Amino acid sequence: MSEIIEPLSDRVLVKPDDKDTKTSGGLIIPKTAQEMPQQGVVVSSGPTSTLDEGDRVFYGKHSGTDFPGGLKMFNEPNILAVIRKK
């Protein structure tokens, strides 16, 4: 039997990007050393959230709660921005 995590109210479950950033010289900067906001994809959202599954979002480096499977849970006000394509 598999389990499903369903966020409540305005909470959002996000799968963070696992990409490390490379400098122009080829050095890898791990996620833990990056200063810019982190980003990921919304996996599911609560019934009062305005975000949808598949939305790409920015969030603060130290925000959210870690969940199994490398996921993070946020209250929607802690999401900094949604990344939209033109």
Side-chain angles (χ1 to χ4, degrees):
M1 179 159 90
S2 65
E3 297 176 327
I4 297 172
I5 300 172
E6 291 183 20
L8 301 175
S9 66
D10 71 341
R11 290 182 180 86
V12 180
L13 190 63
V14 174
K15 178 167 179 44
D17 288 347
D18 290 332
K19 302 174 191 169
D20 289 327
T21 302
K22 286 187 180 181
T23 66
S24 59
L27 296 175
I28 295 177
I29 303 171
K31 262 177 44 172
T32 55
Q34 296 176 23
E35 293 299 322
M36 59 191 292
Q38 307 298 301
Q39 55 182 302
V41 175
V42 174
V43 175
S44 62
S45 55
T48 62
S49 172
T50 60
L51 297 172
D52 296 317
E53 185 176 332
D55 282 346
R56 294 197 52 74
V57 295
F58 280 115
Y59 55 89
K61 182 176 180 180
H62 300 290
S63 63
T65 302
D66 293 329
F67 270 69
L71 301 173
K72 292 183 80 74
M73 181 79 71
F74 300 91
N75 287 335
E76 188 171 320
N78 293 328
I79 299 294
L80 301 175
V82 179
I83 304 166
R84 304 260 190 233
K85 292 185 178 184
K86 288 186 172 186

